[in-house]
C-alpha cells in the first residue's frame, strides 16, 4: 500500500527550502511505496520550477493566514481555508503533510489534525521564539531541521 505525502506550498516565491523539497520529491518518486503530492496555493514562481522538474501539482487556491489584515477577517478566512484543506486531505487520502515554511506550518496544522494526518514540520531556520509558534508546534508529529 502506498503512503501519500503532501507537500503544500504558497507558490509565489522560491527559496532554498523549495529547492530542497523538490529534490526530496524527485527522490520519493523513485520509491514504490510512497507517492508525493504537491499542492500550490498560488500559481507563481514555484510553478515554473515544478514544470522544469516534471513534477505535477494540485492547485488549491485559498486564503493563507497572515498578519497583514485585521483579526476578524483573518479568522473567518482561516476557518474557511481550514475546511477546504481538511476536505482535500480526506479526498486525496493524504497520510503525511510535509510543510517547509512557517506560513504553511500554521495553515495546515489544524486541518491536518482534523483529518488525522501525520504532520512533519521541516524547519530551515532557527526555531522561532514567539509564543504562538511554540504552542502550535506541539501539534506537529515530527520535526526535520
Amino acid at each position: 500500500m502506498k503512503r501519500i505525502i503532501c507537500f503544500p506550498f504558497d507558490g509565489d516565491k522560491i527559496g532554498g527550502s523549495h529547492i530542497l523539497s523538490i529534490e526530496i520529491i524527485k527522490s520519493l518518486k523513485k520509491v514504490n511505496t510512497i507517492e508525493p503530492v504537491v499542492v500550490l496555493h498560488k500559481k507563481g514562481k514555484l510553478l515554473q520550477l515544478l514544470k522544469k522538474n516534471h513534477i505535477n501539482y494540485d492547485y488549491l487556491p485559498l486564503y493563507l493566514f497572515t498578519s497583514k489584515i485585521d483579526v476578524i477577517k483573518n479568522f473567518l478566512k482561516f476557518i474557511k481555508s481550514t475546511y477546504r484543506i481538511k476536505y482535500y486531505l480526506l479526498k486525496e487520502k493524504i497520510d503525511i503533510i510535509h510543510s517547509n515554511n512557517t506560513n504553511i506550518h500554521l495553515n495546515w496544522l489544524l486541518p491536518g489534525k482534523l483529518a488525522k494526518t501525520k504532520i512533519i514540520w521541516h524547519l530551515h531556520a532557527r526555531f522561532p521564539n514567539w509564543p504562538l509558534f511554540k504552542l502550535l508546534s506541539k501539534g506537529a508529529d515530527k520535526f526535520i531541521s
Side-chain angles (χ1 to χ4, degrees), residues 12 42 63-71 73-74 103:
D12 58 348
K42 296 176 189 159
Y63 169 81
L64 294 177
F65 179 82
T66 178
S67 61
K68 295 178 183 171
I69 65 170
D70 72 61
V71 175
K73 281 184 183 176
N74 233 343
N103 206 17

Side-chain angles (χ1 to χ4, degrees), residues 84-138:
R84 288 192 63 204
I85 294 169
K86 178 189 171 198
Y87 174 77
Y88 175 84
L89 293 169
L90 293 172
K91 183 179 120 226
E92 299 299 323
K93 298 181 173 116
I94 304 295
D95 298 299
I96 299 168
I97 299 166
H98 175 280
S99 62
N100 76 332
N101 72 39
T102 303
N103 206 17
I104 296 297
H105 298 327
L106 299 180
N107 283 279
W108 281 68
L109 179 67
L110 180 58
K113 287 300 175 186
L114 292 172
K116 296 180 172 61
T117 304
K118 296 289 184 190
I119 300 168
I120 297 172
W121 278 13
H122 196 157
L123 303 173
H124 298 272
R126 295 182 69 183
F127 198 88
N129 196 26
W130 43 288
L132 180 61
F133 192 88
K134 286 182 178 182
L135 175 69
L136 294 176
S137 69
K138 295 180 187 329

Side-chain angles (χ1 to χ4, degrees), residues 7 17-29 36 98 122 124 144:
F7 291 80
S17 64
H18 300 94
I19 294 167
L20 176 60
S21 292
I22 286 173
E23 291 304 315
I24 292 170
I25 292 163
K26 287 170 30 180
S27 294
L28 290 175
K29 286 172 79 174
H98 175 280
H122 196 157
H124 298 272
I144 299 172

